[in-house]
Each structure stands twice: as C-alpha cells, then as structure tokens.
Amino acid sequence: MKKILIVFFTLSASIIFGQEIAKKNTKILSERKHEIKIGAIKLLAGPIFEGTYEYIYSKDFTFGSSILVDFQNENVWDENFSLTPFARFYFQESKEYGAKGFFVEGFAKLALGKNELYSEINSNYESEKFTAGALGLSLGKKWINHSGFVFESLIGFGRSIGNTNNSPDVFFRGDLSIGYRF
C-alpha cells in the first residue's frame, strides 16, 4: 500500500509540475512580438522568394512588410521585385497568444517587373518593363503552436494606381507561409 501511495504522489507531483511549465511557455509566447515567415508555394514553384516580417502591436492588430524577389525572369510571374507593407486586424475570440486566427489585411505594393503586352503593330507579344504601385485587401488565417511556429494562408488582390500603362491592372497576393514568432 505504501508503494502505491508513493507512486501516486510522485505521478501527481510530476503532472502538476508539467502544467506549470506549460503555463510558463504560454506566457512567454504571448510576450513575443516579432514574426518572420517564408512563402512556401512560390519558393517551391518559382523559384520566387517572399519573406515577411510582422510586428505584433496588440492582440488584434499587427503591421509589417513583405519582400518578393523572382530569381527566374522567364516564368509567368509578372513581378521581379516587390515591397509590400501591410496592416492586419485579427478576429479571434481566444486571445491566449494574440495575433492568430482569421484576419483582414490592407496593403500597399511597390512592384517592378516585366509584363507581356500584345502589340497590334507586330501581331505578337512584347515584354515591357514596369514600375507600379497598388492598393489592396487580403483575407487569411494564421495558426501558431506552443513553440512559436507559425503557419499562415493568405489570398488577396490589389489594384494598380497611377499612370501605369505597362503594369498589370490587378496584382495577386497570396501564399502558404511557414515561420516563427520570437
């Protein structure tokens, strides 16, 4: 009987201690304010690198910037380089970590690239360089685990602004991103 009681109290103490460690990790995760992410689909299909930095200002609001670099100029992606600052508003009921769940994003984009335009004079497609700005909206969802690893899905569209004859009328923004909160 004594051996059973000793084993029971030892297991109880280890379970209680394990819960304290989990609470400490949760507290540390909620205090982390920086995230970095890499776009996985574009990187695998491209090679197009899109890196994102996001600062968690509050549990419901974040802001950051993405940078995109196309390493292969002969693919179907119009942008060779773009810089995209954004602001996000999160709509999640559980706020244990903050800045997770469903979000709406407003973004601005500065893009440089080449666009294939049809020439009626030559009756063929010609590649024209462009520099364009765009404003747009995105929707997405972010998941985060206890260790700080982040998975994010994002899709959005932006409209070109200004006098941009050679640029696309609409810019796509989206990817599945993997990252880490620190």
Side-chain angles (χ1 to χ4, degrees):
M1 184 69 176
K2 288 182 182 180
K3 290 181 182 180
I4 294 173
L5 287 174
I6 291 172
V7 170
F8 175 75
F9 286 123
T10 304
L11 289 176
S12 298
S14 65
I15 290 171
I16 292 169
F17 182 71
Q19 290 175 350
E20 285 182 24
I21 291 174
K23 288 179 184 176
K24 287 179 183 177
N25 287 342
T26 303
K27 183 179 177 188
I28 291 170
L29 187 60
S30 67
E31 293 174 355
R32 297 179 187 181
K33 300 287 184 188
H34 308 278
E35 278 183 15
I36 54 171
K37 296 177 283 262
I38 295 175
I41 292 179
K42 288 178 191 161
L43 189 60
L44 293 174
I48 300 169
F49 172 79
E50 185 171 21
T52 302
Y53 169 78
E54 186 174 355
Y55 178 75
I56 293 101
Y57 183 75
S58 71
K59 293 181 179 183
D60 298 327
F61 178 73
T62 65
F63 56 88
S65 184
S66 296
I67 188 166
L68 181 137
V69 179
D70 186 353
F71 293 111
Q72 184 179 0
N73 293 333
E74 286 77 34
N75 59 18
V76 296
W77 197 258
D78 291 332
E79 303 167 43
N80 291 337
F81 174 82
S82 70
L83 183 62
T84 310
F86 61 84
R88 292 182 178 172
F89 297 93
Y90 287 84
F91 300 94
Q92 183 73 17
E93 291 180 21
S94 173
K95 308 270 188 204
E96 60 184 311
Y97 305 133
K100 75 168 197 166
F102 175 73
F103 62 85
V104 175
E105 170 186 279
F107 67 88
K109 178 179 278 212
L110 174 65
L112 297 104
K114 291 182 183 177
N115 194 9
E116 297 272 335
L117 299 173
Y118 184 73
S119 173
E120 293 181 11
I121 298 170
N122 300 335
S123 297
N124 62 359
Y125 286 93
E126 295 178 0
S127 182
E128 297 286 335
K129 291 184 178 182
F130 70 87
T131 300
L135 294 175
L137 292 173
S138 300
L139 300 174
K141 183 148 182 167
K142 184 191 296 184
W143 295 268
I144 184 166
N145 71 1
H146 295 291
S147 302
F149 287 98
V150 174
F151 178 75
E152 176 182 288
S153 63
L154 172 74
I155 187 163
F157 296 95
R159 179 85 172 149
S160 294
I161 55 174
N163 186 7
T164 56
N165 295 331
N166 298 335
S167 72
D169 292 332
V170 177
F171 285 95
F172 172 75
R173 176 160 164 75
D175 211 337
L176 297 175
S177 300
I178 299 169
Y180 186 72
R181 185 179 291 185
F182 59 96

